[in-house]
Amino acid sequence: MNLFRDVKADLDRTVETLIAEGVLPEGLDLSRVTVEPPRDASHGDMATNAAMLLSKPAGMKPRDLAEKLAEALTGHDRIATAEVAGPGFINLRLAATAWHDVLRAILDLGTAYGDSDIGARRKVNVEYVSANPTGPLHIGHARGAVVGDALSGLLLKAGYDVCKEYWVNDAGSQIDSLGWAVYWRYLEILDPKKFAITDEAAIKSFMAAMGAPDRELEYRGEYLIPVAQALFEEKGDALAVKGADGFEGKPVDEWLPPIRLFAVDKMLDLIKDDLKVLGIDQDVFTSERWIIETHVDRIVAWLKDRDLIYRGILEPPKGQKPDDWEPREQTLFRATQFGDDVDRPLQKSDGSWTYFASDIAYHWNKHERGYDRQINIWGADHGGYVKRMQAAVTAASEGKAALTVKLCQMVRLMDKGEPMKMSKRAGNFVTLRDLVDAVGKDVVRFYLLTRKPDAPLDFDLTAVKEQSRDNMVFYVHYAHARGHSVFRMAGEQVPDLDVSDAALAAADLNLLSEESEQAVLRLLSEWPRVIEAAAEAEEPHRIAYYLYDLASAFHGWWSKGKEDTALRFIQADDPAVTLARLALVKAVRIVIASGLAVFGVEPVEELT
RNA sequence: GCGCCUGUAGCUCAGCUGGAUAGAGUGUCGCCCUCCGAAGGCGAAGGUCACAGGUUCGAAUCCUGUCAGGCGCGCCA
């Protein structure tokens, strides 16, 4: 059920009829013709730009064509009046029955109302979070997580076959650093004095003794203590040697490989728990280690066969010269052939693959799995990486796959309008889990979706819990809760009234004649096209604004009853009117619940 | 120096992929409600859509250039 699509179909048929009658020429392109809600409700229910778009190919003046179309359009059942306005708009007013059909469809379909088939079950891969498995998720990850999850929900509702994916960077130098950090915590358990994490001198001399004098000890957070503890319980002191002077470290090769595996495993568990707290459950976790073992060599050879890889020397970036620049021959991918600014290195000087190489292989793997539409959600600091990745996807799929990247800007954590000071070193940086504990998963999810991702966002711990109109999260929840409270009140005030789904479906909807009721119904009719537009634009935040608009219209309608008791939803002496209004209230509840479901947010029946 | 993102009311932000008189919240000002159907209602003021060109029936939206802010710029992921 999509009223706008139905009316567009009426319009298309009208144009075809006029073509058959010779009024319009054949071969008109109707794809850009729209049927939309007008900006101003006084213009009518819907407006179309058809006459303005078709006037040129039809060889007619826009207003003349509009007159012809308007006349023909009034022949359809759904269309009550069609008037020409402005430069050639055709404003439509719909028959009352058209609106009633919408309302009944909502009651019948429930939260499936708004489901679309524009996706046609096409496969889409949405990759998000993909944080390095080196620690718990923090607030910076939360936005990408929520945006990716909501976009997935949106595409699912729009009829796509969606795969929600996490790319696990379980290889590379950061995982080495994690291994070292866990080893230090492990040694700390064996001898807390000798291996204190605060003893910079001890750390430095230890690194030197291990043959890695330049290595810094990263990841000093306490979350690694239980990991080291678990390691100790599994291995005892076998990963260290006991000398005359207490415990000493073993040669790196003996402990680093097993500890890396152990630590990544534990970190991934930690991250999955964090995601669970946010209500996120991704379908596929792909390991970089596995991709390197099974895919990189193959795709590199494949690209080499096509002369897309060569040995060469890059020019230094103009304007900004790194001090230590020296010309260096490296293995390069011809990214410039696919729209990137420079060719990009695939191998480090020690011969191992760069992250880019494994990422190429990974995206190629997605293509092999049938995902030719790929969406990645990244932090804005990775913006410089977008073009090369798109170039690589195009190259490795021979142009069959396309990647879009959504960049999420920073989230500033605030309290009462003041930025909160966070520092990793001091250990008071806010984890995702802290955030959820503080305000709840649904508030976090919804609030992070109230702004388009490419704009920075302030997350104010106090403001998000305020119960006022300027808090979108509250206002939408309140509308849904109010919808339930109306039904609770109906049960008290008119206990004999049958408000079952069947009774609501049979209500006399002609009794919904108030302007504020029509306004609500008009918005409800837009829900399917909001879903489709948001899905095509890949912009879940539009759902938040729609829900806010719907909540506003609903609260506005409710408020009418304050001025005039005859407009209150429940009229004890008029069951027919009450039932019709309750039917509309129920429909509002359904659509809000349907929208919140896209966001993975639970609708509430009562405010707390 | 180059690339990407951003620039809309005092403030925080929408603006349906090019449509009609650019919207909402907040703040300011004025009225109402002081209610119990829970956390408010009505109205006013407030704009050179950063700036300058261009495309066309029509531009906040598309193109070019300029300015300002953010991010990034050869073996980190």
Side-chain angles (χ1 to χ4, degrees):
Chain A
M1 176 65 188
N2 182 337
L3 187 57
F4 287 83
R5 196 168 55 191
D6 293 345
V7 172
K8 172 68 159 62
D10 289 343
L11 175 64
D12 288 352
R13 274 197 296 277
T14 301
V15 172
E16 279 162 25
T17 306
L18 291 177
I19 290 173
E21 291 172 355
V23 178
L24 294 174
E26 297 197 18
L28 291 178
D29 176 16
L30 297 181
S31 62
R32 292 185 58 231
V33 173
T34 57
V35 173
E36 303 184 312
R39 189 188 299 276
D40 189 336
S42 70
H43 290 146
D45 298 321
M46 294 185 184
T48 175
N49 60 357
M52 291 180 289
L53 242 40
L54 300 179
S55 66
K56 194 176 279 183
M60 296 172 72
K61 288 181 181 170
R63 288 194 61 107
D64 293 347
L65 176 54
E67 293 292 348
K68 285 236 184 313
L69 282 169
E71 192 186 336
L73 278 167
T74 48
H76 290 93
D77 292 344
R78 264 187 285 269
I79 297 169
T81 65
E83 290 171 3
V84 180
F89 287 102
I90 302 170
N91 290 331
L92 306 173
R93 281 179 203 284
L94 302 193
T97 51
W99 298 109
H100 300 165
D101 288 346
V102 171
L103 182 41
R104 290 209 184 83
I106 297 170
L107 296 173
D108 179 46
L109 293 167
T111 52
Y113 173 64
D115 287 4
S116 167
D117 54 10
I118 56 165
R121 307 300 305 157
R122 282 191 299 272
K123 293 177 81 166
V124 183
N125 186 285
V126 185
E127 181 213 319
Y128 54 105
V129 190
S130 297
N132 290 336
T134 52
L137 299 179
H138 54 74
I139 184 169
H141 299 116
R143 189 174 194 180
V146 166
V147 167
D149 214 47
L151 180 55
S152 300
L154 177 59
L155 292 171
L156 191 67
K157 191 164 180 70
Y160 289 91
D161 180 357
V162 184
C163 178
K164 301 184 284 185
E165 188 144 338
Y166 188 120
W167 166 231
V168 185
N169 301 130
D170 53 3
S173 61
Q174 298 191 13
I175 298 302
D176 284 347
S177 293
L178 176 71
W180 282 83
V182 170
Y183 192 50
W184 185 267
R185 286 293 193 182
Y186 168 82
L187 294 173
E188 192 181 30
I189 289 168
L190 295 176
D191 187 339
K193 288 202 183 96
K194 189 172 176 186
F195 299 102
I197 199 139
T198 50
D199 189 341
E200 298 298 335
I203 292 169
K204 204 159 176 55
S205 65
F206 171 78
M207 291 301 179
M210 299 298 281
D214 295 333
R215 180 167 288 280
E216 304 281 337
L217 188 62
E218 294 182 76
Y219 307 120
R220 302 195 189 191
E222 293 185 354
Y223 61 88
L224 288 182
I225 294 173
V227 177
Q229 189 63 41
L231 183 68
F232 174 70
E233 280 161 21
E234 193 174 304
K235 304 276 192 184
D237 61 8
L239 295 175
V241 274
K242 188 155 193 172
D245 196 21
F247 283 101
E248 303 282 350
K250 278 192 169 180
V252 177
D253 289 348
E254 293 185 32
W255 56 262
L256 186 54
I259 287 185
R260 270 194 311 227
L261 286 177
F262 186 86
V264 163
D265 206 42
K266 293 287 186 234
M267 288 302 101
L268 215 46
D269 286 347
L270 184 68
I271 287 170
K272 284 179 182 175
D273 282 349
D274 283 352
L275 289 171
K276 202 172 184 179
V277 161
L278 242 197
I280 289 173
D281 181 21
Q282 281 152 295
D283 306 312
V284 174
F285 285 71
T286 302
S287 153
E288 182 184 4
R289 176 185 300 272
W290 175 75
I291 285 286
I292 290 171
E293 285 169 2
T294 58
H295 282 68
V296 174
D297 289 342
R298 284 158 55 209
I299 190 63
V300 166
W302 189 91
L303 291 168
K304 216 173 251 173
D305 283 349
R306 282 152 187 79
D307 192 32
L308 295 174
I309 291 177
Y310 68 104
R311 295 284 295 175
I313 300 169
L314 289 177
E315 295 291 315
K318 294 203 168 70
Q320 178 217 339
K321 308 172 198 140
D323 300 337
D324 57 345
W325 178 272
E326 50 188 69
R328 193 181 296 131
E329 195 189 52
Q330 19 187 13
T331 304
L332 299 166
F333 165 64
R334 292 192 195 278
T336 48
Q337 283 195 11
F338 303 91
D340 198 1
D341 307 314
V342 289
D343 293 337
R344 305 292 181 175
L346 295 176
Q347 264 179 313
K348 304 178 194 173
S349 53
D350 68 358
S352 65
W353 298 113
T354 60
Y355 177 72
F356 183 47
S358 53
D359 223 352
I360 292 176
Y362 171 46
H363 286 76
W364 175 56
N365 167 256
K366 290 190 208 174
H367 164 63
E368 278 190 313
R369 283 186 275 140
Y371 295 105
D372 283 342
R373 180 168 173 192
Q374 305 179 359
I375 303 172
N376 290 358
I377 314 291
W378 289 349
D381 54 339
H382 290 63
Y385 202 79
V386 173
K387 278 190 185 179
R388 85 187 64 174
M389 204 61 245
Q390 288 174 327
V393 168
T394 303
S397 71
E398 295 181 282
K400 292 194 195 73
L403 168 70
T404 57
V405 179
K406 299 280 154 194
L407 296 177
C408 290
Q409 291 288 340
M410 292 285 125
V411 178
R412 274 201 312 172
L413 195 61
M414 318 273 287
D415 196 20
K416 299 189 180 74
E418 295 296 318
M420 287 178 74
K421 302 247 188 305
M422 283 189 285
S423 105
K424 264 189 181 175
R425 180 147 300 180
N428 67 345
F429 69 100
V430 175
T431 64
L432 186 151
R433 193 175 288 259
D434 293 337
L435 193 63
V436 171
D437 287 347
V439 302
K441 135 184 122 67
D442 286 345
V443 168
V444 172
R445 291 185 69 117
F446 196 113
Y447 195 83
L448 290 175
L449 292 163
T450 58
R451 205 125 301 170
K452 58 184 169 202
D454 34 20
L457 176 148
D458 289 344
F459 192 105
D460 191 306
L461 289 173
T462 306
V464 297
K465 291 204 284 193
E466 259 164 29
Q467 302 201 333
S468 68
R469 188 170 184 169
D470 66 329
N471 181 359
M472 248 195 216
V473 184
F474 162 75
Y475 210 56
V476 171
H477 267 137
Y478 182 26
H480 187 268
R482 179 169 264 175
H484 273 274
S485 102
V486 167
F487 272 77
R488 285 194 295 271
M489 260 182 297
E492 292 169 18
Q493 294 178 17
V494 281
D496 296 336
L497 186 67
D498 178 5
V499 295
S500 65
D501 287 349
L504 293 175
D508 179 2
L509 301 179
N510 285 304
L511 299 170
L512 295 174
S513 53
E514 292 298 324
E515 183 48 43
S516 48
E517 292 162 350
Q518 278 300 317
V520 170
L521 193 42
R522 259 197 300 272
L523 273 172
L524 293 175
S525 75
E526 288 180 33
W527 178 230
R529 72 186 292 278
V530 168
I531 285 290
E532 291 181 358
E536 280 180 2
E538 300 170 354
E539 291 182 350
H541 74 278
R542 293 192 194 189
I543 305 300
Y545 284 92
Y546 169 81
L547 291 178
Y548 183 75
D549 286 346
L550 178 58
S552 292
F554 178 65
H555 290 309
W557 175 35
W558 187 92
S559 299
K560 296 287 182 195
K562 287 218 153 194
E563 300 154 26
D564 181 355
T565 54
L567 296 180
R568 294 190 175 191
F569 299 170
I570 300 163
Q571 300 293 322
D573 56 352
D574 194 339
V577 162
T578 303
L579 203 60
R581 290 178 182 168
L582 288 178
L584 185 56
V585 171
K586 181 78 182 282
V588 170
R589 262 168 49 185
I590 288 170
V591 172
I592 289 178
S594 166
L596 291 177
V598 170
F599 282 5
V601 170
E602 292 283 323
V604 297
E605 298 188 5
E606 249 177 312
L607 294 176
T608 49

